[in-house]
C-alpha cells in the first residue's frame, strides 16, 4: 500500500512532465459541393375506374432512358453561400419498381406505395376515383446514402502546451486551462474529399388521370428537397445544408389490357434550382390483384 501511495506522490511531483496533448482546431471553407440528383419517384392513382369498395395489390415496373443532362454536369448553380457553389450531376437509373396497396371506399381512394428508384422510397396518396377521371395528392420520402464531394480550403491551428503552470506542479494533464502555451502552428491547404451521407428527399405532389374506356391519360407533378440527416466526419466543417428543390413532371398514356394488366409509356420532365430542364422517356407495366 505504501508503495502505491509513494508512486502517486512521485507522479504528482513530476506531473510537470505530463503534457497536455496538442489541440487542433479546423475550419473548412467550402468552395464547391457536388452531389447527384434524380427525378422524383412516381405516384399515381388506380389507373382505372374501380367499382365500389375495393382493395388492390399492385406492382409496377418501368424501364427508362437515361436522363439527358450532359449540359448540367459539372456546372455551378447560383451561390448557395457567399463562399461556395453547389454542383449537380443529374441522372436516373434505368429501372424503377414499386408495390402498392390501394383501398377505395365510395369514391375516395387511399394508396400506400413502397419501391426503389435509385434509393428506397415510401409514399402515401389520397384522392378521388370516378368513372371518368381520378385526382389526388401524395407525399413521399426517398431515403438512402448519397455521395457528397467537398472541395475547399482547410484552415488548421495546432496549439502545443508546455505542461507547467509556474509553481513546479502541473495539473495540465487533467485541465488544459492550467497549461502554458508552448507554441501555435497554423497552416492552410487545399483539401478534397467525399462522403456518403444519409439523405431524405422529402416531397409532395398531385396526380390527375382521365379514363377513355380502356385508354388512360395520366399526369403527375411533384417537388422535393433533400435533407441531410448525418453530419460529415471532417472536423470543423461549417456546412450549411441548403438543399436544391427538384421538380418532376410525368406525362403518360396507358392501356388497360385487362383489369389486371396495363401498359404505359410517357416522358419525365425534370427541372429545379439548377441550370436547364431535362427529359427522359419511359415504358412500363402494371399488374393488379383484386383482394
Amino acid at each position: 500500500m505504501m508503495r502505491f501511495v509513494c508512486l502517486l506522490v512521485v507522479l504528482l511531483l513530476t506531473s510537470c512532465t505530463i503534457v497536455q496533448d496538442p489541440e487542433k482546431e479546423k475550419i473548412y471553407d467550402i468552395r464547391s459541393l457536388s452531389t447527384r440528383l434524380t427525378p422524383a419517384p412516381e405516384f399515381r392513382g388506380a389507373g382505372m375506374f374501380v367499382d365500389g369498395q375495393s382493395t388492390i395489390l399492385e406492382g409496377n415496373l418501368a424501364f427508362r432512358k437515361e436522363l439527358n443532362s450532359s449540359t448540367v454536369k459539372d456546372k455551378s448553380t447560383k451561390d448557395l453561400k457567399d463562399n461556395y457553389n453547389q454542383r449537380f450531376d443529374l441522372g436516373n437509373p434505368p429501372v424503377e419498381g414499386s408495390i402498392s396497396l390501394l383501398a377505395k371506399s365510395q369514391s375516395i381512394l387511399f394508396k400506400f406505395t413502397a419501391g426503389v428508384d435509385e434509393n428506397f422510397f415510401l409514399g402515401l396518396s389520397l384522392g378521388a376515383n370516378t368513372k371518368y377521371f381520378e385526382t389526388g395528392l401524395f407525399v413521399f420520402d426517398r431515403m438512402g446514402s448519397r455521395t457528397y464531394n467537398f472541395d475547399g480550403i482547410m484552415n488548421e491551428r495546432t496549439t502545443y502546451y508546455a505542461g507547467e503552470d509556474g509553481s513546479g506542479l502541473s495539473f495540465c494533464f487533467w485541465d488544459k486551462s492550467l497549461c502554458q502555451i508552448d507554441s501555435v502552428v497554423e497552416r492552410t491547404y487545399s483539401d478534397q474529399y467525399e462522403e456518403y451521407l444519409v439523405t431524405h428527399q422529402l416531397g409532395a405532389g398531385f396526380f390527375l388521370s382521365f379514363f377513355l374506356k380502356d385508354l388512360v391519360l395520366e399526369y403527375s407533378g411533384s417537388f422535393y428537397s433533400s435533407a441531410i440527416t448525418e453530419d460529415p466526419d471532417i472536423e470543423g466543417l461549417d456546412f450549411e445544408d441548403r438543399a436544391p428543390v427538384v421538380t418532376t413532371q410525368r406525362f403518360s398514356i396507358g392501356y388497360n389490357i385487362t383489369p389486371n394488366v396495363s401498359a404505359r409509356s410517357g416522358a419525365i420532365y425534370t427541372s429545379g434550382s439548377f441550370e436547364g430542364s431535362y427529359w427522359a422517356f419511359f415504358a412500363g407495366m402494371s399488374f393488379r390483384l383484386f383482394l
Side-chain angles (χ1 to χ4, degrees):
M1 182 64 183
M2 284 298 298
R3 289 183 178 181
F4 179 71
V5 173
C6 291
L7 179 61
L8 288 179
V9 171
V10 170
L11 287 175
L12 181 61
L13 292 176
T14 60
S15 62
C16 59
T17 63
I18 302 177
V19 182
Q20 171 74 20
D21 290 335
E23 182 181 49
K24 285 189 176 183
E25 297 177 274
K26 295 181 179 181
I27 298 177
Y28 193 79
D29 293 329
I30 304 173
R31 292 186 301 199
S32 68
L33 173 59
S34 305
T35 191
R36 176 176 168 86
L37 296 178
T38 58
E42 182 180 36
F43 295 91
R44 49 200 293 265
M48 62 181 295
F49 171 62
V50 180
D51 287 323
Q53 294 188 346
S54 302
T55 302
I56 303 173
L57 182 64
E58 180 184 69
N60 291 283
L61 184 64
F63 298 89
R64 305 180 294 193
K65 181 181 178 181
E66 174 69 17
L67 191 72
N68 181 14
S69 61
S70 58
T71 57
V72 79
K73 291 181 179 178
D74 297 328
K75 289 190 177 181
S76 300
T77 65
K78 297 178 180 178
D79 285 349
L80 297 185
K81 291 179 66 178
D82 292 337
N83 62 340
Y84 78 89
N85 292 340
Q86 187 158 348
R87 298 188 174 107
F88 306 113
D89 177 6
L90 269 73
N92 58 261
V95 178
E96 67 172 320
S98 64
I99 296 177
S100 302
L101 183 64
L102 182 148
K104 180 184 177 184
S105 178
Q106 302 302 325
S107 61
I108 303 300
L109 66 83
F110 174 83
K111 190 175 184 180
F112 172 77
T113 303
V116 176
D117 183 355
E118 188 174 63
N119 286 328
F120 178 72
F121 67 86
L122 297 171
L124 295 175
S125 304
L126 179 66
N129 178 270
T130 71
K131 187 174 182 179
Y132 299 106
F133 72 93
E134 65 180 355
T135 186
L137 304 172
F138 58 84
V139 294
F140 65 89
D141 178 12
R142 180 166 55 187
M143 63 208 81
S145 295
R146 290 185 177 272
T147 303
Y148 288 82
N149 294 284
F150 295 87
D151 178 13
I153 300 295
M154 178 65 75
N155 301 296
E156 187 175 277
R157 177 188 174 98
T158 305
T159 302
Y160 296 90
Y161 296 98
E164 186 174 315
D165 62 1
S167 66
L169 297 178
S170 175
F171 294 92
C172 179
F173 182 75
W174 294 275
D175 186 354
K176 67 182 180 184
S177 66
L178 301 176
C179 298
Q180 289 183 333
I181 295 178
D182 182 70
S183 61
V184 176
V185 177
E186 296 183 357
R187 68 186 187 117
T188 299
Y189 55 92
S190 297
D191 190 27
Q192 294 181 340
Y193 80 104
E194 68 176 26
E195 285 201 40
Y196 298 91
L197 302 177
V198 176
T199 303
H200 287 262
Q201 294 180 338
L202 305 173
F206 75 97
F207 62 86
L208 175 64
S209 304
F210 294 99
F211 309 136
L212 306 174
K213 293 187 177 180
D214 291 324
L215 196 66
V216 184
L217 302 177
E218 294 182 309
Y219 169 81
S220 69
S222 66
F223 68 92
Y224 73 77
S225 181
S226 298
I228 300 176
T229 58
E230 181 182 20
D231 293 330
D233 289 335
I234 191 167
E235 298 178 48
L237 179 60
D238 182 17
F239 172 47
E240 182 177 347
D241 178 21
R242 297 186 182 181
V245 173
V246 180
T247 63
T248 304
Q249 299 181 70
R250 294 175 183 253
F251 309 85
S252 66
I253 182 170
Y255 183 77
N256 291 311
I257 303 169
T258 71
N260 301 95
V261 180
S262 66
R264 295 185 305 123
S265 181
I268 305 170
Y269 177 81
T270 304
S271 60
S273 53
F274 44 81
E275 298 175 358
S277 54
Y278 307 92
W279 290 91
F281 297 94
F282 73 93
M285 300 287 294
S286 296
F287 306 91
R288 305 181 186 95
L289 177 63
F290 289 81
L291 303 177

